[in-house]
Amino acid sequence: MAATDAQTSLRHAFGNVLAFFILILIGVLAFSIRLFSVIKYESVIHEFDPYFNYRVTQFLTKNGIYDFWNWFDDRTWYPLGRVIGGTVYPGLTLTAGTLWWVLNSLNIPLSVETVCVFTAPIFSAFASWATYLLTKEVKGAGAGLTAAVLLAMVPSYISRSVAGSYDNEAVAIFALIFTFYLYIKTLNTGSLFYATLNSIAYFYMVCSWGGYTFIINLIPMHVLLCIVTGRYSSRLYIAYAPLVVLGTLLAALVPVVGFNAVMTSEHFASFLVFILIHVVALVYYIKGILSPKMFKVAVTLVVSGGLAVGFAMIAVLVAMVAASPTMGWSGRSLSLLDPTYASKYIPIIASVSEHQPPTWPSYFMDINVLAFLVPAGIIACFSPLSDASSFVILYIVTSVYFSGVMVRLMLVLAPAACILSGIALSQAFDVFTRSIKLQLPSLSVDSHVNAGDASSESVVPDDTVKTDKTEDTHKERTSKKSKKKEKEPVEKPPSKSQIKKRLLVLPLETSIIAIVLLVLLGAFYVVHSVWAAAEAYSAPSIVLTSHSHDGLHVFDDFREAYAWLSHNTEVDDKVASWWDYGYQTTAMANRTVIVDNNTWNNTHIATVGTAMSSPEKAAWEIFNSLDVKYVLVVFGGLVGYPSDDINKFLWMVRIGGGVFPHIKEPDYLRDGQYRIDNMATPTMLNCLMYKLSYYRFVETDGKAYDRVRRTEIGKKYFKLTHFEEVFTTHHWMVRIYKLKPPKNRIRGKTKKTKSKASSKTVSKKQGIKKNPF
Amino acid sequence: MAKLIIFLFLTLIPILCNSFTPDKPSDRRILVLLDDFAIKSSHSLYFKSLQSRGFDLDFKLADDPKIALQRYGQYLYDALVLFSPTIERFGGSIDAAAILAFVDSGHDLIVAAGSNASDLIREIATECGVDFDEDYGAVVVDHAGYAVSATEGDHTLIASDDFIKSDVILGSKKIEAPVLFQGIAHSLNPSNSLVLKVLSASPTAFSANPKSKLTSPPSLLGSSISLVSVIQARNNARILISGSLSMFSNRFFNSGVQKAGSPTKHDKSGNEQFLTEVSKWVFHERGHLKAVNVQHHKVGETNEPSIYRINDDLEYSVEIYEWSGTTWEPYVADDVQVQFYMMSPYVLKTLSNDNKGRYFTSFKVPDVYGVFQFKVEYDRLGYTSLSLAKQIPVRPFKHNEYERFIPAAYPYYGAAFSMMAGFFVFSAVHLYNK
């Protein structure tokens, strides 16, 4: 017996070392699979929001944390400005800033941009390690490693964390998983130490992403589930109560959250459950000290009294919540609960493509085979159902719902899917390898195998035992006992598992074929993930490429336009564009913008939307009142770039019309159809967006054929009276116009004689051109 | 060779530029285009009054093929006088477009038309916002307000005393005598804010062809007829348009005038005074303001901050001067206002002045953050429009600028600390009191 003990501990040591190296490799994998964007393109910040984060990080590294905290930015949302320090989730910025600071103080001179570019890959390595820890707490090390591998290359997460994708989600997913891990850890151990760590991890999550509300709702839901299913224990209390108290206090420290941590409906669930868990704790305590008869009397008393108080409180709460028009929920949260809410009331949320519900193919694109493995994982979690596995089940169920509402919350689903698929895969491998193991060498060392694999075996065989156990022990189990119990679910006494073993031995051939199929499945997943990382999700979207018969085309028009702005305009000039390009304009061109991607002021955005939907003169007046000097539009009609301003235009109309009712959507539609060809409505053909997009477009090919809309445009020849074109990029993707100054003279009304007409237009042009210089 | 040219150019720049600079806005070199040189002598009094004020007049025939307004991109003149109402086509490189470009680059213009005004002159006037009567034979006729003369005539020589009420344009000395006018009428678009009637016709005047019978009511009549108008373009270029060239002539300057129905007979018409004063205005000897030295700072400080905080007290000052023709004199007025503006004025204060041209005020920054502007929009009749805008951001309180302890919260402090103490005592009792 001593020999086998030594052997098992050796095996454990070996397994731990192996696991350690596997984890390192997983980290390397997670990091390197995200470098495609740097290799294929260049080391740049991607997309829109990352540019803002990058700019904030630059400010932080230059001016220090206090100035960052107090930063009032006068270059966005002109003339309102934006209090950056109080409206930004600082986690990502502080993380990257700290990284940069540490590296610099170690005399590793990296630019801020480099650090920002590589923050996301680094944190995805951390996230896979956190996944390992979390899954290990749920189902053991094998499942943990599998889940970590899966997470390291799940396409959904890659899409948000390739090198250069410097966005909140990059660090927030790590924080999310790590918070869940610490919660489960606390739940399993009942240690106050982990509970405190959990609060701190939660604080980091609050710092990083608005998605922290998912945690502060999911954990109470789980606690509630545990209470309802009779799984209340002191470990649960320790896992939950400190998190609510410390977590809320810490969350209130983040300026952007502040009093929201106690005032908005998103956080109410945690407080309600907090009260509930105390009531339940009290009930269990009283039950312990009273005789059953007395307890019954006490229960009736307390229940009647408690009900009265409870109803009174709920009534007050309902009255308070109902007093606010949105019931105290923010628009984004409401659109989560009611998926049709945003499209009905808040076009500005609905207009963002990542806030749309996903299509079915996007599930297969983003989580691929995991979609098939998740149900198996759920079943595995039910056998046996522990506190931890019930949490994972709850996590997957809620995140599947949320991902069905908003495509970008697929990101929250991905870790859950990885964890459950990891569990499913490792359980399946367990069953199959054990079947093979039991049948192949059974001739030689039967007993040894039994003893040996029992330790490394999974929990599947002893499911009945365990469920029995947990059910009858949950009441008066002390934290210490349970600690041991939960900590070593794998090290069940061999005697028990031996009895159960006979249940799950599959035929040899079936097992081998199944393993081959599983490996194939895994291989397919890897191939798909690498393809997704290399092809689908690595484009930085400020540099575009297209393959055609005559080779690779690179469209670097955005940076061309921003560079033009920064070199050819005054420092204080204001540039108006649709809000998508606000962050990039401030970060790359360093010019003041009217609206940007932080869509905090609907009216201001509606003003710009109205200007874009108005005829030239009205638009000029709106822009002039905002001191705008330049107007930037993105136009894809020449090269077929589909996400241009004409395709976004209906949203401008809707958002503008939401505030200024003289803009009516039907005016821009012909029989309910959005078109820009010769069937388009006059309002459409005369609005500023149409004119700025298609001005001189006919000069390109003589027909003015729009390759995005696949049609010839409706009005080809027109002149601009209040705007003048100052710059159009190489592929016409960005066009910049300048507001003409008011005319120096006002003409009289006498009709011009025909002979003079030509000379007169010339004179006017000259007069106006002369002025700026 | 190229270097030499550049060198010459660089040395010439200061010479070329000193003519019309913001420092000395008065015009110096004036091109006078004439139909024929007889006008030079017949209107010599007017030209002399200009020359005596230091202007350098360059007389050219309007169809002289060598005339040019600019050479190598530099304007050769600061102002242009068109005393050539009949010209159909200018000589040289000048055409209507060139003249309008000349105006749009900030130069001044005097146009005198007449009963025979050409299309070209009419077109220039129209571009400036003045519409001459489209009936080519029509002149201003006034059977009640005509100038009494030896021969009864057809009442086309009229005496008008309906001046614009502006000391800036017409000088502080009142013009006693009516002004003699013989020429065509023009009208102004009432919505045009840049153009001003300096001399209007009387209510009994109308515009018609005196040689033909009046068949339909005249299109222009009454005081809507403008005889002399001035325009101040948005870039402060000034234009004078008169429907009569003869009112500038020596004959009109010197003749006596008696308005029909008026008992007083003036020995000398008001033409000389009127036109001289108006030309002073047109050539920026009067009514030209400049605002310099905009300063703002917090009360008690002198340096201009890059950003204000909400509820800061600040002081704003600006110096405004008027060009007197030779020097910059302090401009004194009590109606200059400053706005603290972000989409709409949050603060509107009238500036007080120290009679030395310095205008100042102090106010509290509103309790709103954002990017504000100090705006001075000063548009007064006859003066160049002053439009100053200076951008300044206003930030909210820093996180450590709030009061740390507020009296109203003392119950809460008390609650928190008593809670802490109570918890401590409770723990001690619970742990060590078995």
Side-chain angles (χ1 to χ4, degrees):
Chain A
M1 200 59 200
T4 49
D5 265 1
Q7 211 169 5
T8 43
S9 62
L10 190 69
R11 279 183 63 124
H12 271 249
F14 186 65
N16 283 340
V17 170
L18 203 60
F20 178 73
F21 279 106
I22 291 174
L23 279 176
I24 286 181
L25 287 177
I26 288 173
V28 171
L29 170 68
F31 183 81
S32 51
I33 200 172
R34 287 166 168 82
L35 297 186
F36 277 111
S37 59
V38 172
I39 293 160
K40 288 185 69 177
Y41 296 89
E42 57 190 300
S43 176
V44 283
I45 308 282
H46 288 196
E47 302 211 328
F48 305 107
D49 288 23
Y51 269 95
F52 170 73
N53 297 326
Y54 170 52
R55 182 163 163 258
V56 174
T57 315
Q58 275 182 318
F59 186 89
L60 172 73
T61 51
K62 208 181 287 170
N63 299 19
I65 185 153
Y66 281 105
D67 278 352
F68 164 58
W69 189 355
N70 292 321
W71 187 16
F72 172 72
D73 185 7
D74 57 349
R75 301 192 73 78
T76 58
W77 292 95
Y78 181 86
L80 306 169
R82 178 183 170 196
V83 185
I84 300 268
T87 56
V88 78
Y89 286 99
L92 175 77
T93 318
L94 291 178
T95 308
T98 315
L99 263 178
W100 179 84
W101 181 79
V102 167
L103 287 171
N104 257 36
S105 50
L106 292 175
N107 284 330
I108 305 175
L110 287 181
S111 70
V112 180
E113 190 184 10
T114 315
V115 175
C116 293
V117 165
F118 291 102
T119 300
I122 291 170
F123 269 79
S124 39
F126 292 168
S128 19
W129 293 334
T131 310
Y132 164 74
L133 293 172
L134 173 57
T135 321
K136 190 181 157 209
E137 281 305 310
V138 179
K139 282 286 174 186
L145 287 174
T146 324
V149 174
L150 293 177
L151 186 99
M153 50 188 180
V154 62
S156 166
Y157 186 27
I158 287 178
S159 74
R160 291 316 188 102
S161 63
V162 292
S165 180
Y166 180 57
D167 209 348
N168 286 337
E169 289 92 332
V171 297
I173 292 302
F174 159 70
L176 180 84
I177 300 171
F178 197 62
T179 312
F180 285 155
Y181 158 67
L182 285 169
Y183 170 69
I184 298 293
K185 186 80 182 170
T186 325
L187 198 57
N188 283 348
T189 58
S191 147
L192 208 51
F193 171 69
Y194 283 114
T196 317
L197 281 188
N198 189 17
S199 310
I200 292 169
Y202 173 66
F203 175 57
Y204 184 62
M205 177 71 189
V206 178
C207 281
S208 305
W209 196 31
Y212 76 91
T213 47
F214 181 60
I215 296 182
I216 204 62
N217 283 301
L218 182 63
I219 290 180
M221 273 169 76
H222 179 242
V223 171
L224 197 64
L225 183 78
C226 286
I227 291 171
V228 168
T229 54
R231 290 172 155 272
Y232 172 79
S233 66
S234 53
R235 291 172 293 113
L236 187 66
Y237 184 86
I238 291 167
Y240 185 64
L243 174 68
V244 172
V245 177
L246 288 178
T248 306
L249 281 176
L250 288 171
L253 292 182
V254 183
V256 63
V257 178
F259 280 108
N260 285 349
V262 286
M263 307 242 313
T264 60
S265 298
E266 281 96 342
H267 304 79
F268 277 180
S270 65
F271 299 126
L272 285 177
V273 173
F274 186 68
I275 297 169
L276 197 68
I277 199 170
H278 279 93
V279 172
V280 172
L282 187 70
V283 169
Y284 274 91
Y285 176 70
I286 291 171
K287 204 175 179 183
I289 57 171
L290 289 182
S291 63
K293 210 169 221 176
M294 289 289 287
F295 180 69
K296 227 165 217 171
V297 176
V299 162
T300 41
L301 267 177
V302 169
V303 162
S304 48
L307 273 182
V309 175
F311 274 122
M313 280 193 58
I314 286 170
V316 170
L317 210 69
V318 166
M320 272 174 61
V321 169
S324 85
T326 58
M327 309 282 172
W329 294 78
S330 69
R332 278 193 189 130
S333 314
L334 263 185
S335 65
L336 276 184
L337 297 181
D338 173 10
T340 58
Y341 179 83
S343 53
K344 270 190 288 192
Y345 301 109
I346 322 173
I348 202 144
I349 289 180
S351 74
V352 183
S353 63
E354 62 182 22
H355 290 165
Q356 307 284 353
T359 52
W360 279 114
S362 65
Y363 278 94
F364 297 103
M365 178 68 198
D366 277 357
I367 58 174
N368 202 245
V369 301
L370 307 187
F372 309 111
L373 291 171
V374 163
I378 293 176
I379 293 168
C381 280
F382 270 107
S383 54
L385 189 68
S386 65
D387 290 349
S389 62
S390 67
F391 178 78
V392 173
I393 292 167
L394 203 61
Y395 179 20
I396 187 86
V397 169
T398 46
S399 60
V400 163
Y401 170 73
F402 288 142
S403 71
V405 176
M406 264 191 210
V407 71
R408 83 165 175 166
L409 291 180
M410 196 78 97
L411 191 61
V412 177
L413 169 68
C418 288
I419 291 164
L420 282 163
S421 313
I423 291 170
L425 272 182
S426 91
Q427 300 266 316
F429 272 118
D430 256 344
V431 172
F432 297 134
T433 46
R434 196 184 48 245
S435 306
I436 296 169
K437 221 172 187 179
L438 280 176
Q439 288 167 47
L440 268 186
S442 54
L443 18 147
S444 57
V445 270
D446 214 345
S447 66
H448 166 75
V449 166
N450 278 354
D453 69 0
S455 56
S456 65
E457 277 320 271
S458 71
V459 218
V460 185
D462 22 13
D463 51 349
T464 45
V465 182
K466 205 172 173 220
T467 37
D468 288 350
K469 265 239 134 158
T470 41
E471 233 155 69
D472 61 36
T473 51
H474 70 266
K475 281 159 200 165
E476 67 272 272
R477 182 188 279 165
T478 62
S479 65
K480 233 181 239 170
K481 246 190 185 169
S482 69
K483 189 176 182 178
K484 198 181 272 170
K485 192 108 223 142
E486 302 287 347
K487 216 178 181 182
E488 309 148 10
V490 274
E491 293 176 284
K492 282 274 143 60
S495 58
K496 270 177 197 160
S497 52
Q498 268 168 345
I499 306 162
K500 304 293 161 196
K501 196 128 297 167
R502 57 190 152 73
L503 289 175
L504 276 162
V505 174
L506 296 170
L508 183 65
E509 298 77 17
T510 324
S511 304
I512 290 172
I513 290 170
I515 284 182
V516 169
L517 285 176
L518 277 184
V519 168
L520 271 179
L521 196 67
F524 181 66
Y525 174 72
V526 171
V527 168
H528 173 80
S529 297
V530 172
W531 172 82
E535 300 294 332
Y537 289 138
S538 283
S541 97
I542 54 160
V543 186
L544 306 162
T545 55
S546 87
H547 296 273
S548 67
H549 55 275
D550 51 347
L552 182 77
H553 287 276
V554 178
F555 303 101
D556 204 358
D557 287 35
F558 285 105
R559 289 194 293 184
E560 187 186 349
Y562 295 132
W564 186 89
L565 275 178
S566 74
H567 286 112
N568 294 283
T569 59
E570 297 288 323
V571 172
D572 277 335
D573 281 349
K574 284 86 191 169
V575 180
S577 63
W578 190 232
W579 57 263
D580 297 28
Y581 313 105
Y583 278 164
Q584 290 183 347
T585 311
T586 39
M588 286 202 255
N590 190 23
R591 291 296 172 268
T592 308
V593 296
I594 306 300
V595 292
D596 68 23
N597 310 44
N598 175 263
T599 52
W600 66 275
N601 188 323
N602 191 32
T603 313
H604 220 50
I605 291 183
T607 309
V608 174
T610 306
M612 293 294 190
S613 340
S614 302
E616 232 183 300
K617 189 164 191 292
W620 187 89
E621 273 157 18
I622 294 173
F623 280 141
N624 193 48
S625 74
L626 290 170
D627 299 330
V628 169
K629 271 271 188 66
Y630 296 92
V631 181
L632 179 152
V633 294
V634 172
F635 171 61
L638 185 71
V639 289
Y641 171 63
S643 55
D644 65 350
D645 277 346
I646 289 286
N647 272 4
K648 291 172 186 167
F649 179 62
L650 268 194
W651 289 110
M652 302 182 202
V653 173
R654 274 176 209 150
I655 293 168
V659 177
F660 304 101
H662 68 277
I663 302 289
K664 295 185 197 71
E665 191 180 339
D667 292 346
Y668 298 83
L669 302 175
R670 172 76 71 194
D671 303 327
Q673 273 187 313
Y674 178 61
R675 51 200 309 171
I676 45 99
D677 54 8
N678 51 18
M679 290 291 288
T681 60
T683 323
M684 179 70 214
L685 293 179
N686 284 315
C687 73
L688 184 70
M689 181 49 76
Y690 180 90
K691 285 192 164 181
L692 297 191
S693 288
Y694 292 118
Y695 178 61
R696 293 202 305 115
F697 183 47
V698 70
E699 294 169 22
T700 54
D701 60 353
K703 284 193 314 219
Y705 181 78
D706 185 324
R707 295 203 195 167
V708 176
R709 268 64 59 176
R710 296 178 185 286
T711 173
E712 277 184 34
I713 62 171
K715 197 160 132 189
K716 295 176 185 173
Y717 302 94
F718 54 85
K719 283 211 176 78
L720 296 174
T721 53
H722 292 78
F723 294 82
E724 61 179 322
E725 182 187 7
V726 287
F727 187 66
T728 295
T729 56
H730 186 232
H731 301 98
W732 285 52
M733 278 169 61
V734 184
R735 314 195 68 187
I736 301 171
Y737 293 83
K738 187 175 181 176
L739 270 74
K740 282 183 185 169
K743 276 189 191 143
N744 193 30
R745 297 162 279 109
I746 301 174
R747 278 196 80 242
K749 51 194 167 178
T750 310
K751 300 274 178 300
K752 295 181 214 170
T753 47
K754 260 152 220 137
S755 59
K756 305 269 160 73
S758 58
S759 74
K760 222 159 272 178
T761 51
V762 170
S763 81
K764 232 185 286 167
K765 251 190 197 163
Q766 271 181 355
I768 282 140
K769 277 221 177 112
K770 210 126 262 168
N771 258 347
F773 304 110
Chain B
M1 187 62 198
K3 269 186 190 162
L4 186 70
I5 290 173
I6 290 169
F7 173 75
L8 277 177
F9 184 66
L10 287 176
T11 48
L12 281 176
I13 278 179
I15 302 162
L16 293 172
C17 287
N18 73 356
S19 51
F20 187 88
T21 58
D23 296 334
K24 287 184 188 291
S26 290
D27 300 326
R28 291 289 126 214
R29 297 163 304 165
I30 299 171
L31 175 65
V32 184
L33 292 184
L34 307 169
D35 270 344
D36 61 82
F37 278 119
I39 296 175
K40 190 176 169 185
S41 52
S42 66
H43 293 59
S44 59
L45 280 178
Y46 185 66
F47 294 134
K48 239 174 226 140
S49 86
L50 291 179
Q51 274 161 335
S52 68
R53 300 209 308 270
F55 294 107
D56 179 9
L57 301 189
D58 191 0
F59 296 95
K60 290 271 167 65
L61 276 182
D63 50 3
D64 184 343
K66 280 197 223 110
I67 54 171
L69 280 174
Q70 58 177 338
R71 188 183 296 154
Y72 308 130
Q74 289 284 330
Y75 280 105
L76 301 169
Y77 303 98
D78 304 322
L80 177 64
V81 177
L82 289 183
F83 276 3
S84 53
T86 58
I87 190 76
E88 288 294 345
R89 205 168 167 284
F90 289 114
S93 61
I94 301 181
D95 55 5
I99 288 172
L100 293 166
F102 181 72
V103 170
D104 286 340
S105 56
H107 299 91
D108 305 318
L109 175 67
I110 292 180
V111 179
S115 54
N116 43 7
S118 67
D119 278 345
L120 183 63
I121 295 296
R122 284 164 188 267
E123 185 200 327
I124 293 170
T126 304
E127 284 293 334
C128 296
V130 165
D131 299 316
F132 280 114
D133 193 343
E134 283 169 58
D135 183 354
Y136 282 65
V139 293
V140 186
V141 183
D142 190 343
H143 294 303
Y146 59 93
V148 178
S149 59
T151 55
E152 181 57 16
D154 51 6
H155 298 165
T156 56
L157 177 66
I158 59 174
S160 174
D161 51 6
D162 193 358
F163 304 114
I164 189 171
K165 285 170 191 59
S166 165
D167 286 353
V168 186
I169 296 174
L170 294 183
S172 49
K173 192 160 163 261
K174 193 173 181 299
I175 300 171
E176 300 288 343
V179 169
L180 287 171
F181 180 92
Q182 188 169 32
I184 55 175
H186 61 259
S187 66
L188 310 176
N189 187 351
S191 66
N192 188 339
S193 56
L194 302 177
V195 55
L196 295 169
K197 256 184 228 176
V198 186
L199 184 66
S200 317
S202 72
T204 52
F206 59 94
S207 172
N209 190 342
K211 295 189 185 72
S212 62
K213 261 220 147 55
L214 212 55
T215 49
S216 58
S219 55
L220 289 175
L221 52 101
S223 46
S224 73
I225 293 178
S226 175
L227 305 176
V228 179
S229 300
V230 294
I231 295 122
Q232 178 166 284
R234 287 206 171 88
N235 63 355
N236 291 328
R238 288 173 176 173
I239 302 163
L240 170 77
I241 292 179
S242 159
S244 158
L245 174 60
S246 49
M247 71 185 295
F248 293 89
S249 65
N250 298 354
R251 190 165 64 85
F252 278 40
F253 274 31
N254 289 331
S255 75
V257 62
Q258 183 184 10
K259 196 175 177 181
S262 158
T264 48
K265 176 165 169 44
H266 299 271
D267 289 340
K268 199 163 175 295
S269 72
N271 284 35
E272 180 165 14
Q273 191 190 353
F274 171 73
L275 290 170
T276 308
E277 293 298 330
V278 173
S279 76
K280 280 183 185 170
W281 181 84
V282 170
F283 293 144
H284 291 270
E285 285 168 78
R286 205 165 39 221
H288 188 98
L289 300 179
K290 75 165 179 182
V292 289
N293 208 4
V294 177
Q295 285 182 334
H296 58 89
H297 51 80
K298 280 188 209 165
V299 172
E301 294 178 14
T302 49
N303 288 338
E304 181 177 306
S306 62
I307 191 166
Y308 282 106
R309 197 194 66 192
I310 53 172
N311 296 333
D312 268 350
D313 289 301
L314 65 83
E315 284 174 348
Y316 176 88
S317 70
V318 58
E319 289 171 22
I320 302 179
Y321 296 101
E322 183 181 1
W323 179 248
S324 68
T326 46
T327 51
W328 287 104
E329 301 291 335
Y331 175 69
V332 180
D334 55 0
D335 56 355
V336 185
Q337 291 181 317
V338 65
Q339 304 172 30
F340 201 54
Y341 182 96
M342 179 177 79
M343 294 205 277
S344 59
Y346 280 73
V347 173
L348 179 61
K349 290 271 276 194
T350 305
L351 296 164
S352 26
N353 73 78
D354 61 356
N355 290 334
K356 287 178 195 144
R358 185 170 168 273
Y359 287 76
F360 54 91
T361 188
S362 65
F363 57 87
K364 191 189 259 305
V365 175
D367 197 2
V368 180
Y369 59 79
V371 183
F372 281 82
Q373 286 171 326
F374 290 107
K375 265 196 179 183
V376 175
E377 299 277 352
Y378 191 70
D379 294 302
R380 288 294 177 276
L381 182 66
Y383 286 104
T384 51
S385 59
L386 282 184
S387 177
L388 305 176
K390 191 162 189 178
Q391 180 175 320
I392 185 82
V394 173
R395 65 168 170 82
F397 284 109
K398 286 186 178 171
H399 70 274
N400 54 0
E401 283 175 336
Y402 294 98
E403 276 186 77
R404 184 134 303 182
F405 294 103
I406 45 177
Y410 272 100
Y412 298 98
Y413 305 144
F417 283 103
S418 64
M419 173 87 176
M420 282 189 240
F423 181 74
F424 185 74
V425 170
F426 174 81
S427 312
V429 169
H430 185 75
L431 289 174
Y432 301 110
N433 192 22
K434 283 276 167 211

